[in-house]
Amino acid sequence: MLYVLLFCLCLSCNNEYEGIPVEKDKTYTLATPDGFPKTTLDTSGNPVTINGVALGKKLFYEGRLSRNNTISCGFCHIQEYAFTHHGHAVSHGIDDKIGIRNAPAIQNMAFLKNYTWDGVSHNLDERSLVPITTDFEMDSSMPEVVGKLGADNNYKKMFKAAFGDDQITGERVLKALSQFMATMISANSKYDQYKKKQAVFSDDESRGMALFSQKCAACHSGELFTDESYRNTGMYYNAQFDDKGRYRVTLNPDDYMKFRVPSLRNVAYTAPYMHDGRFYTLEAVLNFYSDHVENQPNLDPLLKQNGHTGIPMTSMEKQYIIAFLKTLSDKSFITNPKFSE
């Protein structure tokens, strides 16, 4: 009898974890790490629940969201690289079509105000619509996705468990994906442990943190390591992708070549770097900022100080900064089975 009881308890936990609907849905608690801003997620219209997250996880790795059933969200957002498209300068989509931008990391989305390089998306519940429907990404449509999922009885059960009935709609698909992405919280790096006095920095890491504070933190600020602003950082215009940054959204000339400041959490895992993946190492990024920033008309004022274009850094200072940046790596995040396929 005790064996049967233990078996049932284990099965119950396993079912909940593996995405098999639990009989009575429960709220999924999103913990706010120390120092993080308040969550930006509007849970009034999309409460995060255990069954909703389980459904979202299954959909995140579901190839049927694409036209030919081959491309999932997880295809471009790979967990071991902090959910980026490792090795590709820009995303590769259906039929190996090439996108125009580097796939951004998916982490701490519940605390961000915007989710794209140009700021066109600011609602996590709607964010996944763009990759699902864009012709060089997944090239599908919500009616097509709904039709495919509706033919799967297991999905009907999961939608009923998550939303109260088995009706599958485009809105619910997007909301479930949003719930899963909201749980992807990264806040257990060596830096986080250092802040809690649970780890000690090396001399190089300490020097790097001080230099980072002086030279980088004006933009990469706070515990998210981004102020979420849009800035022209003096990168040359890449005619191959014809990407003019936030100007594509606003058509304001002042926004030419302005891109969103990315978070630097897990940056050691997310190469290549910049909106078009033009740099493959952190050394290359810092070399750009010290020596190759273009003095464009709307170059960010922070990169035009004291008669110098860019950020003055010696070779040794760059190595110290990189040592600090590596303390932002959260191995527990990139290996967490809760996020794995």
Side-chain angles (χ1 to χ4, degrees):
M1 182 68 179
L2 178 60
Y3 172 80
V4 173
L5 177 61
L6 289 173
F7 176 80
C8 290
L9 287 172
C10 292
L11 181 63
S12 174
C13 294
N14 187 60
N15 285 352
E16 180 179 305
Y17 173 75
E18 291 296 333
I20 300 172
V22 294
E23 183 174 347
K24 185 176 181 181
D25 205 2
K26 302 176 183 177
T27 298
Y28 188 109
T29 302
L30 293 174
T32 300
D34 291 344
F36 273 42
K38 293 181 180 180
T39 179
T40 58
L41 192 68
D42 181 9
T43 56
S44 61
N46 186 23
V48 182
T49 67
I50 289 175
N51 285 343
V53 170
L55 173 59
K57 175 181 174 180
K58 185 172 177 62
L59 291 170
F60 187 84
Y61 293 106
E62 177 57 77
R64 282 176 285 184
L65 298 190
S66 68
R67 171 174 52 79
N68 64 1
N69 306 325
T70 63
I71 306 295
S72 68
C73 303
F75 177 81
C76 283
H77 297 282
I78 303 168
Q79 182 176 3
E80 62 185 297
Y81 305 111
F83 294 97
T84 58
H85 203 178
H86 182 73
H88 292 289
V90 295
S91 60
H92 286 218
I94 199 164
D95 300 327
D96 206 30
K97 291 181 179 178
I98 306 298
I100 66 170
R101 289 179 178 162
N102 182 258
I106 298 179
Q107 57 185 358
N108 300 325
M109 304 284 274
F111 308 100
L112 297 174
K113 299 174 184 176
N114 293 291
Y115 308 102
T116 53
W117 284 106
D118 58 16
V120 72
S121 177
H122 54 269
N123 185 336
L124 191 57
D125 289 349
E126 300 172 357
R127 175 67 202 112
S128 299
L129 179 63
V130 174
I132 290 173
T133 59
T134 299
D135 60 350
F136 54 77
E137 294 190 63
M138 300 168 87
D139 194 29
S140 188
S141 67
M142 294 317 298
E144 182 178 49
V145 168
V146 168
K148 291 177 185 178
L149 300 182
D152 186 322
N153 286 330
N154 185 50
Y155 267 120
K156 288 182 178 179
K157 293 177 183 177
M158 294 190 74
F159 273 87
K160 182 176 182 179
F163 294 105
D165 60 64
D166 64 3
Q167 183 181 8
I168 299 176
T169 68
E171 180 183 19
R172 287 179 170 182
V173 169
L174 297 176
K175 284 186 173 181
L177 285 167
S178 173
Q179 289 187 46
F180 175 55
M181 288 189 289
T183 69
M184 295 180 179
I185 298 173
S186 177
N188 191 34
S189 65
K190 183 176 182 179
Y191 164 81
D192 296 301
Q193 294 165 12
Y194 169 83
K195 295 277 285 186
K196 297 175 183 177
K197 302 186 185 306
Q198 297 172 351
V200 177
F201 275 179
S202 68
D203 289 344
D204 286 1
E205 291 165 347
S206 294
R207 291 188 185 102
M209 183 168 64
L211 287 164
F212 180 89
S213 179
Q214 296 167 17
K215 298 177 181 291
C216 313
C219 298
H220 296 285
S221 59
E223 295 304 296
L224 296 179
F225 288 87
T226 172
D227 66 358
E228 299 196 74
S229 62
Y230 303 90
R231 299 175 185 260
N232 181 319
T233 57
M235 288 182 283
Y236 66 83
Y237 166 69
N238 190 335
Q240 177 185 357
F241 303 124
D242 188 28
D243 189 356
K244 299 171 184 175
R246 187 150 175 76
Y247 173 81
R248 297 176 75 240
V249 178
T250 67
L251 299 181
N252 182 345
D254 291 339
D255 287 333
Y256 175 76
M257 290 299 290
K258 285 186 178 181
F259 293 90
R260 184 175 176 275
V261 175
S263 170
L264 296 183
R265 282 187 172 272
N266 293 307
V267 69
Y269 298 133
T270 62
Y273 305 107
M274 305 304 196
H275 68 280
D276 55 3
R278 64 181 67 190
F279 301 129
Y280 276 77
T281 65
L282 291 172
E283 288 84 354
V285 174
L286 295 185
N287 288 341
F288 163 75
Y289 278 118
S290 66
D291 299 314
H292 302 293
V293 170
E294 287 189 355
N295 190 7
Q296 298 174 7
N298 65 333
L299 179 67
D300 194 275
L302 290 174
L303 297 174
K304 290 195 294 187
Q305 297 189 63
N306 303 318
H308 182 90
T309 300
I311 304 173
M313 288 178 283
T314 67
S315 295
M316 187 57 68
E317 286 176 333
K318 293 173 187 176
Q319 293 308 307
Y320 290 148
I321 291 172
I322 289 171
F324 170 68
L325 291 175
K326 289 181 178 179
T327 72
L328 303 180
S329 299
D330 181 354
K331 188 173 182 179
S332 64
F333 175 69
I334 66 166
T335 58
N336 192 332
K338 288 183 179 180
F339 309 137
S340 302
E341 184 173 7

